[in-house]
Amino acid sequence: MAAASTDGGLTSQFQLLIQRSCSLLHHFDGLNWNVDKPSETDGHTTTAAAADGGNDNAAMNDNEENDDDQSDSSSDDGMMMFGGGLLDSDSDNEDDIMMMDSGVNDANDQDDYYEEEEDGEEEEEEEEDDAAMLKRASSVHVALLTSLSPTSFVKDGKELVQTLVSSMLSPTSTTTDNGDDEDLNKLIITISSVLLKSSNDYLPKRMSDERKRKIGLTNSLLAVQYLLHLLNTSSTSVSSTSSLLGWKLVILPLLFNTTTTKSFNDTLQTALLNLISPTSIKMTQDRLGYCQDVCQLCVLAVDQLTSTAAAAGAAVTSNHSRQSQLVLVCDVLIRLYDGMNKLLGKQQQRGGGGEELALPTKCVDSVANAIHLVIVKVIRGICYAQVEHDCGGSNKEDNQSVVLLEPLLSLEAVRPVTGMLLPKLYPSGSVGSGNLKEQQQQTRAVELWNEILLLLSPYSEEVVSLDKRKCCRNWESVAPMTATAILCILLPSFRGMELPAVPATGDNHDNHASSPLCRPVFQPSVWALIRQSLKRCGDTDSFGGDGGDSGGRGTSLLSRGARDGGSSTFGYDDDVSTYDRAAIDQLLRRRSAHILRLLIEYERDSLLRSGSKKKGKGKGRQGKDNQDGRIDKQKRGDMWMKYVLCFEMLEMEIEIHLVDQVWTTVKELSSEASMNNLEGVNDSTNELPLIVWEDVASLLCRVLLSDAPTLRKLGLYRFLCGDSGIQVTSVATEEDQDGNGRTFMRKAESKCKVKKKSGGASVPITTVSVSFVLDIVMRSYDSIVGTKVGTNMQIDEGGQQKSEKVADLLSEFLSNYVIALAASSEDGSELSEFMTRILAVITTLKWRSLVLLFRAVATAVDQSASHKYTLEQETVRSAIKDMLSTFSSGGAPRSLQEGLRQDLTSMLKNAVPWTRPDASIVLDVLSLYPPQDDLVDNTDNETHSLTRSALATWILGLGDGQWANNAAPVCASAYVMGEMLPFNEKIDILSGVNTLERTLGMAISLLCTLTGNASEMLWPAIFKGLQKPPSASSHKAIRSMILLEWGCREEALSGMGNGDIVTDKQNCMLPPPPNVEFLLNHAVQLLMSQVMEIKTSLGGRAEKSGATRSQASGQASSYIYTLINQIRVLHLSFPSSSSISLAVNAILSQCADSLKQPNSDETDGPIETVVTLTLCYASLSCDAKFEDAKELEKLLSICEAIMTCELSQAKGKSMRRDAVQALRSIFHYAKWGSLSLIVPMINEAARKQPGGAELASGSIQQIYEKILISANEAVDSTPVIALPPLFACTTSCGEYLVELEDAGANGTSLLSSIKVISETLFAVLKEETASSTWMHMLSSMCNLLFSPKLLLHEYQNSYVDGDRDNMPVMESFEKLIEMGSALKPHINIVAVSYISVAWLGNKDSSDQDVGLAAIPYRDNIAELLVYKEPKFDESSANQNSTKDRHGILPQTTDGSSITRAFVLSFLSKLPSPENMSDVVLKELVHHIILKLIDACCLPPAKGKPFITGSEEYSKMMRSWQALCLLSRFVTFDIANEVAQKVFKAMSNLSHGQIRYFMECFTVQCTRKHPSVFGQFFITEIRRNDLSLQYVSSLMIIGGNLTVGSYSNDFFHSKSDKKIKEILCGVLPWLSSTQGFSRAIAQLLVYKLIPLVVDVENNSGGGAIEKDDAVLRSVYLFLQQNQDMSRVRVKQQSFFDSYDVDTACQFEGLLAFEVDDGDEASPVHMVDAIKECLADVYKEVHDEDAPEWKQMEDLLISAEGGNQDESVPENDELVNFQRKILPVDALDLRIQSLHENKKFNAAGNKKQGLIVCATLVDKVPNLAGLARTAEIFAAETLVLPNTLVKKQDDFKSISASANDWIDMEECKEENLLVWLHKKKAEGYTIVGLEQTSSSKCLTRFNFPDKVVLLLGKEKEGIPVEFLSAVDQCIEIPQLGIIRSLNVHVSGALTIWEYTSQMMKRSRR
């Protein structure tokens, strides 16, 4: 084959086309397209072909004549090929041709071209520019190609194009095999470089990248058009070609190519597809073949995407690339399908016969089959793994192994199917039966339904395996996601079809004869999908925020993709295992709800149609039965529709007051489900299924597990109150069923006009499933615990706001649920399941939730005590393991741990006893219950006793009742002998304590104790190990010692060895018997030998110092700690044992002698010192003492000797590093442990010994100062286990030094010593980690530092003298407050609880001294008065550690006010100002008052009140509360300043709760200083520029002072001048627009006029008398008017009961109810009087209706009693505002398609209306316009600033419209440009303005595309914008007022436009 040679050949021709195209489109000439050698110049060098461009151009214009066939072909195919859809719209073709003819080659214009484009262009604008550019380029290319000379025809264009395309797409070569045709090879390279490679190298270097990109786009388009030109100019048979052939040979191979890495721009892809349009081709047999070939190409392309083998060598590897290719295939099929259908329609319009319609029909059917095949392949490519066999190198079939290849398509691939193919192939209502086409469509529908059934069938694995397919790895998520997506599109067409209910199996997929046929609504598999999807709850372990408004609306995987870093077009990842489970479940719920709505709506419509046909035909009993059956079906359909409406509301709505409206319907559904559960499930195939409890549970899940925590709390409250229909209490009363008359929000009145059945009795509580209680209810509660939302619910009960605890309701519900389960079933299976599940949730719930659950259940099982449930032993073992793991993780206080242990024992005690208990499991349980240890904590004795009693009951009930008595001694003996737990091979101090060994010994001791015969069971086992003198390495002796220790801790082994302490007649304890003394002696020897084992274990000489915080050091010190505790336990249990006393006293004496004499043996010196210190500490722990008279001297000498001890450097061989570390750790532990016991002994001896004071002033003080310095230096090097004794030693020294100051001894250096002590203690606190020890240290530290005399000493010696740097106590306090901050409030509580008492001084302090010590802390006090403890979980450590300090606080103190309550308590105990020191009054109290008032005077930002619950709101509230308490200290010298600031603060906007305390403070100050505050009050009330809120406060203050109980404090006599002044100020407010102010003004005027005027005397004359007459008439009117009299009586009672004194007292301030933010929530007088006015109005109007009205109501009621046979509308079914589930929320569309923007969220097509509100500035108007524009499907709303969407007032008014409507921003300065741009896009600008040329709104015919321009509120549309307006319109008006609100005007105009569009569409 050879191409025709025409002036240089085809290559030169193509290069010339490229050159001309660039010249015309991009103002550039001289491109060098010499592919062999790219140009090195800047673009001015041209090829020979370019030089001859003029001749070629002239040649192109010659011989343009064509024959008729060519003309027909040109008209048939030519323009469609080259122009297609691009030339259908406006184009500048003539201008392009003129430019071409004139040959625009002006090189001077190139400089403009090279200029860089401006940055900042929007992406959408660039896309639009690309599309416009390609449209223009297509027109230019058409002109260029049609101007080519006819001599350029080739011999066979089809063969040439095939060669070119195949060569270009070849992965190995871009040339043909025909080496003789050099021009053809060159053409291939040239076109390939344009299409498949970057052509930037051939462009000038100075050209911008953006310009190069655009040139590449136009050149690529030209290359394709040139190939189509070659195909169309074939010299053989032009008529044989068509656009389908162009698709087949050129465009689709290029677009579908997978062998190259070239990917076309999306805009270019669209342009290429637009080149071909089959809308007007003449169908022939050849073209039918081409159509089929195109379809085959598409199917093969899909095969490459779905088949692993086909994709192995393809370039399409990423999910995004595969998705793009799939969208492209679907786009091609849709274009082909639409084009063929149009051809078929045109043929039918022409009246063609059967033969003429046969080919188009076959063509349409072939495309439809291809679409169907692609759908099936995509479904299988998403859901099924491909099965391949790996032979393993052998041909034997037995050796083959199955290899599963996971699907290549992700869930993203379903969107092209649901968004493009399915709507096209199965439009709504298209599938039916009748003609051949519909029958074929029916066949495809059945095949597709079979694929869906395979996704829904529980036996899918077996079914698809017959087709060599396997379900994919994530089938549980992928199958329902795919099925729901397809069903959402198919059901509008399929829901009326009779389809198979069981999928076809095997190779015969078409055989459905044996399968039952029914509509989808009756198919069990469909209902199973719906129900399983609706109950999916997502990842409930993590919710959306502490109060975000996500609520689930508008979110989907589609939107999540771009937000979470995914593709902006596609929202799924490659691997389905990475999907967000919550998002998947949300999508499934919404799709299933949509599917359910489609099915129910169709069924209800079917009932309506069938009812209208059969109405009146039924006669007799059969007719009645049919009628009753239809009514039952209708009722069932109505119930399901109610269900759908409720589900959509709860799924989509986040407004709490709207969600709160659904509970009446939910209760009705619950009642229906309860009755259906009793009747049983209906399996009928021609009826809707019954609503059961599981359905209602799915409904409740939507609110209980909502993303919004406020909705979760509301749902919990309603559910636990019984508002969901569940009988939550044991005895259901009518009041209980109605929720006790409480409402969270005022419910909307029901709009239901259909008579409905009563909800009936509440559903039994046992209807609720166990999984629902634990997985939903408990998880919902757990999610709000510890959050800002809290667990308190603010309710409105009888007009009063009250707070109710959700925790209490939940606890009661759980208890009642357990009791009901125990009583409902005899076998106890459900209760057993519940109890088993409880033990499995230990690690999944927060501590607070877990404690509540266990406490409620334990209380219930104790109450029932029926032994009706069983707990498997392995379940208990797992629970114990979880509980131990949770305990060890920390964070929970011991009180909660003990509570959980107690509740667990109750559960075990009441369970069915194990018949054959496993001893290991029993001991595991007992290991959870350590004995009460006075050394560590002080657990509640009562709780401990109850727990042990329950454990004993459980233990003694195991087996036959004798199991414990038999097993306990056996376990004890086996433990000692090593039969129960093997011995360790070697006992090494470096290995630390054997925890497992000690835990098992503790459990065995407890087991023996619980039997009641511990001594008889333990002593024999103990004797086995201690019957002879033991060695340190004796395993039996060590275990016997462990049993002895735990037996003593359990108080089972003491005294005589049987648990009883024996005393003589003088009540002196007798020594133990000889056998016990014998054992104790051996035990002491064992312990001492283990201490001496240090020499053996750590033998050697230390040359290098080691760290003291390593693992080895910690284990060694803990080992010694255990030994010392053991010997101490023995001493405490056997205090009369002579062997122990003699041993420890002897050891102490030996240690004293050893410490005084330095060791001469340098080899063992360090170890000997450590052993001596350890023995000293052990003996001191057992109260060893010196018996002589020189005890103090010996103690001081030992103390000094210990201080001088050091680990001297040893000589000789070195020690291992871990041994060195262990040695140093034990040294520090023993050293500081010994000192912590010796220092208190020194203090006690110094107090008792004569002359101790003199000695103390010298030696003791010097030694203590050395100890303090050493302790301060040693903190960092001391092991953690030694920190508590170091801390105790430091505090003991400090206490004695403070005593020396009190005694008047040498105390000048006290503050210096306190500074050292403080630094040391803080350093220890920083290192200590154990919470219980830490809190003990904190309390000890505060007790030492915050002593009254120390604070006073610091004030007198440092603060007064101005030495602020020498105040260590104050520095310590501020450091503690800083440590507390917001995360550790317990630190603040402890510190303030101690120091607030110290500020008051000692008990014997005089009033003049009280508060002096607090003066330095006045700024801290002011800050603490507004401090608020954060909400923290009860599981947080140390939460209950401060409760012992709360005794001075009222019981009503809220948990967030404890710190400030201590400060308020201090202020309340200060003496009165008269008795107080002037220094304290002025420098402390007055300073705090003025500081608080200054903070209160600050106005809120933006002129709006502080947001309730915010930090500013909290500080303002607490400041005014503190001022109320301090009001008694406002003296005359600051009264004027305070009054001025108070009334200034009152003028600011603030909440009513804050104003309540503001008003109380003002009333108190005014009573105290009437002359000052009264004058300010009179001045303010006579102003006429006050805000209504300010007036309200003034009226309340005035009412209290003039007519309330405090009037005597304000008015001294009736002649008081203030009366008249107040009356003058109040009188104008009788006409106030505010009803509240007007009502109080009436009361004040009524009370004040008689004090000024003699209301009984009507005589008189003159001006004054006339004024009196006016006042008298006002008074008489107020007196005689009945309505005002009612209001006045109620108001007077309010003021009489207004108790300001209580509100200003310490107890009263803390007694107020708190709101959700834990702030006081008093009933403000404004709210009370508003309620009063409402009551009076109700009393006046609540009279009996007239008789005619009563008769009308009776008639309406009677009519309502008749059954209405019509199907009620959805609005009539429920009494709440319906929520539409947006189609966008189903995630079914392709976001990249432009069609997606043509529909709104509800799935309706958007109107061509753009509402421009750029000139509107008020937020409420913008929000209202957003709501209106969304409702009427406007295209876009233009705002002046899109940030307005985030404002609260916009959100509240727009009602979520901002989530569903497109909004864009346009500033006023850019408006004119924007308007002209829209005019260029074809929009008509319509302005809403009254002008001389305005048209009436009702007479104006709106065009389809309109921009509605709205003006400003007052000015309207400015003149500069009227010039861009095409037409002004105005709204006709009939009233006087000549203007409407801009939102109202816009709404009326939008509706008029919508009305006209609706009428136009109907026509």
Side-chain angles (χ1 to χ4, degrees), residues 965-999:
N965 292 322
N966 298 330
V970 176
C971 290
S973 299
Y975 171 74
V976 172
M977 300 306 294
E979 298 172 359
M980 209 166 181
L981 183 67
F983 295 127
N984 291 336
E985 295 182 0
K986 182 182 179 181
I987 299 176
D988 187 3
I989 190 174
L990 295 176
S991 301
V993 179
N994 190 333
T995 305
L996 181 60
E997 188 177 53
R998 289 184 55 80
T999 302

Side-chain angles (χ1 to χ4, degrees), residues 132-429:
M133 178 192 65
L134 290 175
K135 181 167 60 176
R136 182 180 183 85
S138 177
S139 304
V140 172
H141 297 162
V142 169
L144 290 172
L145 290 169
T146 54
S147 301
L148 290 176
S149 173
T151 59
S152 62
F153 289 163
V154 295
K155 182 179 180 181
D156 192 342
K158 178 179 178 181
E159 182 179 354
L160 174 62
V161 170
Q162 285 180 314
T163 303
L164 289 172
V165 175
S166 61
S167 299
M168 285 189 295
L169 298 182
S170 175
T172 58
S173 175
T174 57
T175 61
T176 66
D177 295 334
N178 188 358
D180 298 335
D181 199 338
E182 180 180 355
D183 183 64
L184 182 61
N185 291 333
K186 192 174 182 180
L187 178 63
I188 294 172
I189 296 175
T190 305
I191 296 180
S192 298
S193 65
V194 173
L195 275 178
L196 307 179
K197 297 180 182 179
S198 175
S199 58
N200 293 346
D201 295 338
Y202 304 101
L203 299 176
K205 295 181 179 179
R206 294 196 315 172
M207 190 179 298
S208 66
D209 293 338
E210 177 63 19
R211 188 68 68 178
K212 291 179 181 179
R213 183 187 67 82
K214 292 186 176 183
I215 292 176
L217 288 179
T218 56
N219 289 344
S220 297
L221 181 65
L222 177 58
V224 175
Q225 288 180 288
Y226 182 68
L227 291 174
L228 295 175
H229 167 76
L230 294 179
L231 180 66
N232 193 46
T233 56
S234 173
S235 60
T236 56
S237 179
V238 175
S239 60
S240 63
T241 62
S242 69
S243 59
L244 295 175
L245 183 61
W247 254 355
K248 173 186 173 183
L249 297 182
V250 180
I251 294 182
L252 296 188
L254 291 175
L255 295 180
F256 290 169
N257 79 88
T258 58
T259 58
T260 63
T261 57
K262 175 68 176 179
S263 59
F264 291 100
N265 178 277
D266 292 340
T267 309
L268 180 58
Q269 283 185 359
T270 304
L272 295 180
L273 292 176
N274 284 337
L275 288 175
I276 310 289
S277 176
T279 56
S280 60
I281 65 173
K282 183 177 180 181
M283 186 56 64
T284 63
Q285 192 68 36
D286 291 340
R287 299 184 184 186
L288 174 61
Y290 295 150
C291 179
Q292 293 173 345
D293 291 342
V294 170
C295 293
Q296 186 177 6
L297 269 177
C298 294
V299 174
L300 290 176
V302 175
D303 280 335
Q304 286 185 331
L305 299 176
T306 58
S307 174
T308 309
V316 181
T317 57
S318 67
N319 181 49
H320 179 73
S321 301
R322 286 191 292 269
Q323 177 68 13
S324 301
Q325 281 282 62
L326 182 58
V327 172
L328 185 60
V329 171
C330 296
D331 199 0
V332 171
L333 289 174
I334 292 300
R335 291 170 182 269
L336 190 58
Y337 189 74
D338 286 340
M340 294 304 169
N341 271 305
K342 289 181 180 178
L343 290 176
L344 180 59
K346 290 181 178 179
Q347 194 68 29
Q348 291 174 342
Q349 291 177 0
R350 295 172 183 172
E355 295 181 357
E356 296 178 354
L357 295 178
L359 286 178
T361 302
K362 288 182 180 180
C363 197
V364 170
D365 193 56
S366 63
V367 179
N369 289 332
I371 293 176
H372 171 75
L373 191 57
V374 167
I375 293 173
V376 173
K377 286 181 177 294
V378 170
I379 293 175
R380 295 181 178 181
I382 294 173
C383 301
Y384 300 106
Q386 299 180 32
V387 180
E388 291 189 1
H389 296 280
D390 184 6
C391 298
S394 174
N395 295 329
K396 293 184 179 181
E397 195 171 314
D398 295 340
N399 292 333
Q400 291 182 353
S401 61
V402 176
V403 179
L404 295 181
L405 303 176
E406 287 300 316
L408 291 178
L409 294 180
S410 70
L411 278 174
E412 180 72 22
V414 80
R415 284 206 214 139
V417 172
T418 58
M420 303 175 69
L421 300 183
L422 286 175
K424 188 64 64 175
L425 192 59
Y426 301 105
S428 179

Side-chain angles (χ1 to χ4, degrees), residues 1438-1554:
N1438 310 315
Q1439 58 166 330
N1440 296 322
S1441 56
T1442 61
K1443 286 190 175 180
D1444 57 337
R1445 303 288 303 170
H1446 298 180
I1448 63 175
L1449 303 181
Q1451 295 182 352
T1452 56
T1453 306
D1454 184 70
S1456 63
S1457 300
I1458 298 175
T1459 301
R1460 71 162 184 144
F1462 283 113
V1463 182
L1464 292 173
S1465 174
F1466 156 70
L1467 295 175
S1468 67
K1469 294 178 180 179
L1470 291 175
S1472 62
E1474 294 78 12
N1475 299 327
M1476 183 185 295
S1477 168
D1478 290 341
V1479 176
V1480 176
L1481 180 64
K1482 294 180 180 179
E1483 295 190 19
L1484 176 65
V1485 183
H1486 284 177
H1487 178 85
I1488 295 174
I1489 292 174
L1490 295 177
K1491 187 176 181 67
L1492 291 175
I1493 289 184
D1494 288 339
C1496 293
C1497 289
L1498 296 176
K1502 300 180 181 180
K1504 296 181 180 180
F1506 297 116
I1507 299 175
T1508 305
S1510 64
E1511 182 179 358
E1512 295 80 4
Y1513 176 87
S1514 175
K1515 289 183 177 180
M1516 190 68 68
M1517 170 68 75
R1518 292 171 182 243
S1519 296
W1520 281 110
Q1521 285 183 295
L1523 286 172
C1524 288
L1525 183 68
L1526 295 170
S1527 59
R1528 64 189 182 102
F1529 299 107
V1530 178
T1531 56
F1532 186 78
D1533 51 346
I1534 65 169
N1536 189 72
E1537 182 180 359
V1538 171
Q1540 182 179 1
K1541 293 181 178 180
V1542 164
F1543 284 100
K1544 177 183 177 182
M1546 201 178 299
S1547 64
N1548 295 331
L1549 289 176
S1550 57
H1551 292 272
Q1553 291 80 0
I1554 295 178

Side-chain angles (χ1 to χ4, degrees), residues 1248-1452:
K1248 294 180 180 180
Q1249 182 174 336
E1254 292 77 5
L1255 183 63
S1257 61
S1259 301
I1260 296 179
Q1261 185 175 0
Q1262 293 176 4
I1263 293 176
Y1264 283 4
E1265 289 177 353
K1266 292 181 181 179
I1267 292 176
L1268 293 177
I1269 295 174
S1270 177
N1272 190 18
E1273 295 174 350
V1275 172
D1276 293 336
S1277 60
T1278 302
V1280 175
I1281 199 171
L1283 291 178
L1286 185 149
F1287 189 94
C1289 178
T1290 304
T1291 53
S1292 297
C1293 293
E1295 290 172 357
Y1296 193 78
L1297 292 176
V1298 174
E1299 289 181 8
L1300 289 180
E1301 174 64 20
D1302 294 341
N1306 186 12
T1308 56
S1309 61
L1310 177 61
L1311 292 179
S1312 300
S1313 300
I1314 292 298
K1315 187 172 184 179
V1316 176
I1317 293 173
S1318 173
E1319 293 176 355
T1320 305
L1321 299 183
F1322 274 110
V1324 174
L1325 287 177
K1326 183 179 179 181
E1327 299 293 335
E1328 180 59 41
T1329 57
S1331 59
S1332 58
T1333 307
W1334 198 94
M1335 289 304 300
H1336 175 73
M1337 290 181 178
L1338 178 63
S1339 298
S1340 301
M1341 175 182 177
C1342 293
N1343 185 52
L1344 169 65
L1345 297 180
F1346 303 146
S1347 64
K1349 292 187 177 180
L1350 187 58
L1351 287 175
L1352 187 60
H1353 175 86
E1354 186 180 60
Y1355 169 76
Q1356 294 173 345
N1357 292 274
S1358 296
Y1359 184 81
V1360 175
D1361 296 340
D1363 189 7
R1364 306 298 171 86
D1365 295 332
N1366 190 24
M1367 298 184 67
V1369 180
M1370 184 174 179
E1371 292 176 3
S1372 301
F1373 176 75
E1374 292 177 344
K1375 193 171 183 179
L1376 285 174
I1377 296 300
E1378 183 180 357
M1379 288 173 60
S1381 64
L1383 300 178
K1384 300 178 180 179
H1386 54 277
I1387 299 179
N1388 294 343
I1389 293 174
V1390 173
V1392 175
S1393 67
Y1394 278 95
I1395 202 170
S1396 61
V1397 176
W1399 285 333
L1400 293 173
N1402 295 322
K1403 295 181 180 179
D1404 55 351
S1405 300
S1406 64
D1407 290 345
Q1408 294 293 316
D1409 294 334
V1410 173
L1412 281 175
I1415 293 177
Y1417 302 86
R1418 57 187 185 179
D1419 291 334
N1420 302 104
I1421 292 174
E1423 293 177 1
L1424 290 172
L1425 285 172
V1426 299
Y1427 174 75
K1428 178 180 180 180
E1429 289 90 346
K1431 288 185 178 180
F1432 56 98
D1433 196 345
E1434 285 186 5
S1435 63
S1436 300
N1438 310 315
Q1439 58 166 330
N1440 296 322
S1441 56
T1442 61
K1443 286 190 175 180
D1444 57 337
R1445 303 288 303 170
H1446 298 180
I1448 63 175
L1449 303 181
Q1451 295 182 352
T1452 56

